[in-house]
């Protein structure tokens, strides 16, 4: 080959895939000297281990007598999320989602299911312990995920419609899902909408379902039955199939209220009469308040049958007690007409919704809390409108009502204690509680009034502080009883706060506004709002204090996260 031919550009054939790469000496025998795709790439050296079988050469090793070319500078290649780290080795790989130090073991099997579910909801998904053995069918295939989510939403709907707090509803929904083996679930509760999402794994699509809460009703017997169902589902020793859970849920929905309508109307009158005795009324005032409240209750039922909203029902129910009080004043009957009106207001004040709204706000469910408090405001405005209309016409007719009158001076403590227990008893019947809980909540109401009277009347402490302390004791007792019976705390707390409701402050504020003393009226209404907030915060604080006497699940793993992070403000 001449020098010119040697400088001639080579053809494309010379650069084919079969040409030996640089640095490799082609063999001169008659065999094909082309290299395969298994050749060691340029710049890569293979370490040999002495004394092992891998010391023999293979088709992946460099031929004898061939030195590996010098390694060039390392190129900065952009890694992805799936790129194996440089320090990773398959033989010493840590467990997925677990840090090098590991997570402390969390024991959640020897505490009530309410505490277990609440603790796991506050944990990140990766730190939650594995679910217990799921409930199975006879064919061992397990229930369908959409049906489990539907059952969960139906149970959550009954709890939310019954007045349960948002966090407790989420805990119950999470308990139902885990009882059927769905551990990667995230429930979400708002005032009118329930939703839940289940993602089987990180690479599978999530399944999401939702349900709207359109009707609400107060029936604590049904609420207790739903809690019992959730407790049975959470028990690993109780094997309840999905079909059996649906059957029990249908029975709970079909169950009639434990008390007939005439008993509820009588309880409403007894509540108003007991409240009138609580603020210093006599026997005539008791029966006047009883009759006015019963008449208001019947008018409210009539409005409900005609399809009127609750706003107008509350306004109509507030008118008869105020009208009877005005009539007693105009006829110059020597009674405390203000006690009659105050007693009628006790039967209408939405203490249950107020406590639930403040509890949701304190636990971080701000949307639900805002909706509940807005509902309370509408009810309060309707009561104000109904009473103000009657008071305005009464003042125009010459009724002498003094907004500075003193009610409930504490001169008859025995009568007031009995009245407070009667008020709690009537309130429990109105809430459709189970008969087994009526006695406990009645005693709880009497103890709450004893604490309030001892602090306010005997000790001279402000009514707001006295109310908060008494409500805190109510919440503490209610939470301890609910953990003891694995039930909801509402039946043990809601009726017991009845004697503490700010009926007199509300009435005097409305009376002052009706007599054109707006500043004095607003001051009295502000006091009523402060008392209501003291009740709600005291009940919630008592429930949180009860955790000091109970073993908190997951305390070892949540040492730096005692409460939900969303409640810390960052």
């Amino acid at each position: 080959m001449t020098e010119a031919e040697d400088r001639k550009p080579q053809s494309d054939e010379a650069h084919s895939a079969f040409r030996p790469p640089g640095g490799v000496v082609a063999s001169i025998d008659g065999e094909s000297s082309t290299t395969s795709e298994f050749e060691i790439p340029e710049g890569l050296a293979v370490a040999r281990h002495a004394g092992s079988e891998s010391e023999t050469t293979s088709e992946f090793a460099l031929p004898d007598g061939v030195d590996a070319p010098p390694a060039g500078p390392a190129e900065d290649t952009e890694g992805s999320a799936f790129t194996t780290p440089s320090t990773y080795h398959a033989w010493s790989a840590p467990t997925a989602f677990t840090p090098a130090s590991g997570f402390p073991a969390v024991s959640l099997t020897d505490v009530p299911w309410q505490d277990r579910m609440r603790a796991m909801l506050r944990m990140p998904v990766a730190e939650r312990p594995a679910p217990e053995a799921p409930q199975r069918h006879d064919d061992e295939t397990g229930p369908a995920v959409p049906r489990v989510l539907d059952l969960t939403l139906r149970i959550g709907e009954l709890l939310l419609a019954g007045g349960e707090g948002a966090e407790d509803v989420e805990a119950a929904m999470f308990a139902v899902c885990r009882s059927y083996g769905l551990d990667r679930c995230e429930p979400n509760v708002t005032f009118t909408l329930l939703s839940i999402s289940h993602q089987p794994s990180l690479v599978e699509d999530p399944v999401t379902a939702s349900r709207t809460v359109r009707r609400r009703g107060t029936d604590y017997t049904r609420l207790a039955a739903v809690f019992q169902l959730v407790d049975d589902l959470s028990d690993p020793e109780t094997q309840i199939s999905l079909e059996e859970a649906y059957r029990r849920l249908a029975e709970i929905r079909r169950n009639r209220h434990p008390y007939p309508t005439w008993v509820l109307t009588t309880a409403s009158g007894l509540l108003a009469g007991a409240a009138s005795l609580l603020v210093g009324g006599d026997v005539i005032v008791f029966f006047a308040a009883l009759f006015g409240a019963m008449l208001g209750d019947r008018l409210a039922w009539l409005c409900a049958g005609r399809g009127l909203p609750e706003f107008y029902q509350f306004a109509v129910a507030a008118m008869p007690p105020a009208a009877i009080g005005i009539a007693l004043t105009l006829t110059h009957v020597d009674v405390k007409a203000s006690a009659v009106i105050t007693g009628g207001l006790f039967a209408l004040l939405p203490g249950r919704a107020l406590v639930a709204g403040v509890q949701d706000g304190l636990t971080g469910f701000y949307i639900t809390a805002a909706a509940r408090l807005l509902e309370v405001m509408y009810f309060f405005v309707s009561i104000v409108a109904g009473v103000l209309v009657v008071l305005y016409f009464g003042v125009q007719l010459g009724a002498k009502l003094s907004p500075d009158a003193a009610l409930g001076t504490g001169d008859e403590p025995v009568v007031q204690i009995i009245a407070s227990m009667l008020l709690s008893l009537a309130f429990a019947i109105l809430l459709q509680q189970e008969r087994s809980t009526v006695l406990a909540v009645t005693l709880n109401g009497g103890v709450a009034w004893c604490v309030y009277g001892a602090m306010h009347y005997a000790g001279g402490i402000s009514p707001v502080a006295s109310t908060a302390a008494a409500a805190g004791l109510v919440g503490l007792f209610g939470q301890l009883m609910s953990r003891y019976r694995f039930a909801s705390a509402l039946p043990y707390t809601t009726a017991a706060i009845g004697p503490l409701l700010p009926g007199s402050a509300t009435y005097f504020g409305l009376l002052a506004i009706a007599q054109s003393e707006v500043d004095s009226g607003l001051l009295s209404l502000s006091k009523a709002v402060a008392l209501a907030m003291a009740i709600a915060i005291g009940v919630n604080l008592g429930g949180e204090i009860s955790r000091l006497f109970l073993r908190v699940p997951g305390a070892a793993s949540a040492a730096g996260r005692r409460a939900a992070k969303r409640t810390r403000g960052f």
Side-chain angles (χ1 to χ4, degrees):
M1 180 182 296
T2 62
E3 184 178 355
E5 291 177 348
D6 187 49
R7 290 196 302 265
K8 185 184 298 184
Q10 299 179 2
S11 65
D12 293 338
E13 237 177 22
H15 298 283
S16 66
F18 302 99
R19 182 187 179 191
V24 179
V25 179
S27 59
I28 56 177
D29 54 2
E31 300 291 335
S32 174
S33 60
T34 59
T35 58
S36 69
E37 65 270 18
F38 300 105
E39 181 191 8
I40 301 300
E42 182 178 355
L44 179 64
V46 178
R48 297 186 179 184
H49 302 279
S52 64
E53 294 181 1
S54 61
E55 202 170 333
T56 59
T57 60
S58 67
E59 53 184 343
F60 299 97
L62 290 176
D64 293 333
V66 178
D67 296 328
E75 297 182 1
D76 294 334
T77 58
E78 181 181 0
S80 66
F82 302 98
T83 303
T84 304
S86 59
T87 58
Y88 177 84
H89 194 276
W91 296 107
S92 61
T95 306
F97 305 109
T98 305
S101 59
F103 289 119
V106 180
S107 177
L108 298 173
T109 58
D110 53 353
V111 292
W113 67 265
Q114 298 101 313
D115 293 328
R116 281 188 293 153
M117 297 303 113
R118 184 180 290 107
M120 282 189 285
L121 281 174
R122 292 178 176 181
M123 290 181 183
V125 178
E127 298 182 24
R128 293 173 183 170
E132 295 83 3
Q135 313 288 349
R136 294 291 185 183
H137 289 280
D138 295 335
D139 55 1
E140 294 295 329
T141 59
V145 172
R147 296 197 66 198
V148 174
L149 298 185
D150 178 71
L151 175 67
T152 303
L153 290 173
R154 292 178 183 274
I155 290 177
E157 178 191 9
L158 287 180
L159 294 176
L160 188 63
E164 193 64 69
E167 188 176 31
D168 293 328
V169 175
E170 280 196 359
M173 294 172 64
F174 193 69
V176 175
C177 288
R178 286 183 65 88
S179 65
Y180 288 104
L182 307 184
D183 56 332
R184 302 182 64 88
C185 288
E186 291 296 333
N188 187 22
V189 176
T190 58
F191 187 58
T192 58
L193 182 66
L194 299 170
S195 63
I196 189 168
S197 178
H198 169 66
Q199 188 174 14
S201 65
L202 293 176
V203 297
E204 296 184 62
D205 295 332
V207 180
T208 304
S210 62
R211 191 174 183 86
T212 303
V213 180
R214 302 189 183 276
R215 298 189 62 185
R216 302 178 183 274
T218 304
D219 189 344
Y220 282 0
T221 300
R222 178 180 296 175
L223 191 70
V226 176
F227 261 80
Q228 183 62 45
L229 174 60
V230 177
D231 182 47
D232 292 341
L233 290 175
S234 303
D235 189 358
E237 298 181 359
T238 305
Q239 297 293 328
I240 299 179
S241 64
L242 194 62
E243 291 74 15
E244 176 67 15
Y246 266 108
R247 186 189 62 80
R248 290 182 55 177
L249 188 62
E251 291 180 355
I252 293 173
R253 286 180 174 273
R254 286 194 300 266
N255 282 345
R256 297 178 61 86
H257 298 304
Y259 307 103
T261 304
W262 67 270
V263 174
L264 298 179
T265 302
T266 305
S268 178
L270 288 176
L271 193 154
S276 65
L277 293 178
L278 201 63
V279 295
D282 53 13
V283 178
I284 298 178
V285 170
F286 173 83
F287 284 102
L290 183 146
F291 177 75
M294 291 177 65
L295 181 58
D297 182 76
R298 286 292 87 198
L299 290 177
W301 276 95
L302 180 62
C303 293
R306 298 293 181 179
L308 291 179
E310 285 185 311
F311 181 89
Y312 303 104
Q313 296 176 29
F314 272 79
V316 170
M319 290 181 177
I324 292 178
I326 294 295
L328 291 176
T329 303
L330 292 175
T331 55
H332 304 287
V333 179
D334 188 16
V335 295
K336 290 183 178 180
S338 300
V340 177
I341 303 176
T342 299
L345 291 177
F346 266 85
L348 299 175
L349 293 177
R352 172 183 57 87
L354 177 67
V355 171
V358 174
Q359 180 180 359
D360 289 341
L362 294 176
T363 52
F365 295 85
Y366 301 114
I367 297 178
T368 307
R372 288 186 189 271
L373 294 178
L374 184 62
E375 181 187 39
V376 171
M377 188 192 73
Y378 271 105
F379 290 160
F380 193 77
V381 170
S382 66
I383 297 172
V384 168
V387 176
L388 272 181
V389 169
V390 177
L391 291 181
Y392 177 78
F393 284 105
V395 172
Q396 297 301 317
L397 293 175
K400 302 298 182 180
L401 297 172
S402 175
D404 298 327
L407 294 178
T409 57
D411 296 334
E412 299 178 348
V414 178
V415 175
Q416 290 184 330
I417 292 175
I418 295 175
S420 65
M421 296 177 65
L422 180 61
L423 191 152
S424 299
L425 173 64
F427 204 174
I429 295 176
L430 286 176
L431 294 174
Q432 305 277 2
Q433 291 191 196
E434 290 181 304
R435 293 179 175 85
S436 60
T437 63
V438 170
L439 178 60
V441 75
T442 301
L443 296 176
N444 197 14
V447 172
W449 182 257
C450 290
V451 173
Y452 173 80
M455 295 182 63
H456 178 55
Y457 296 124
I461 303 176
S462 68
V464 176
S466 303
T467 300
L473 186 63
V474 169
L476 175 62
F477 174 78
Q479 289 292 335
L480 292 177
M481 285 297 296
S482 67
R483 294 309 189 269
Y484 174 72
R485 295 195 175 188
F486 297 91
S488 172
L490 290 181
Y492 301 98
T493 59
T494 306
I497 65 173
L500 305 175
L501 293 176
S504 59
T506 304
Y507 161 70
F508 286 130
L510 300 180
L511 178 59
I513 294 176
Q515 295 181 348
S516 300
E517 298 178 6
V518 180
D519 294 338
S520 177
L522 293 178
L523 180 62
S524 184
L525 290 179
S526 300
K527 178 183 176 181
V529 172
L531 291 174
M533 294 296 292
I535 293 173
I537 295 176
V539 170
N540 182 265
L541 182 61
E544 295 299 329
I545 292 177
S546 68
R547 301 179 191 278
L548 299 177
F549 302 96
L550 300 172
R551 196 171 78 178
V552 179
S557 65
R561 190 182 59 257
R562 298 291 183 180
K565 289 185 177 180
R566 59 173 176 267
T567 63
R568 293 188 175 184
F570 60 85

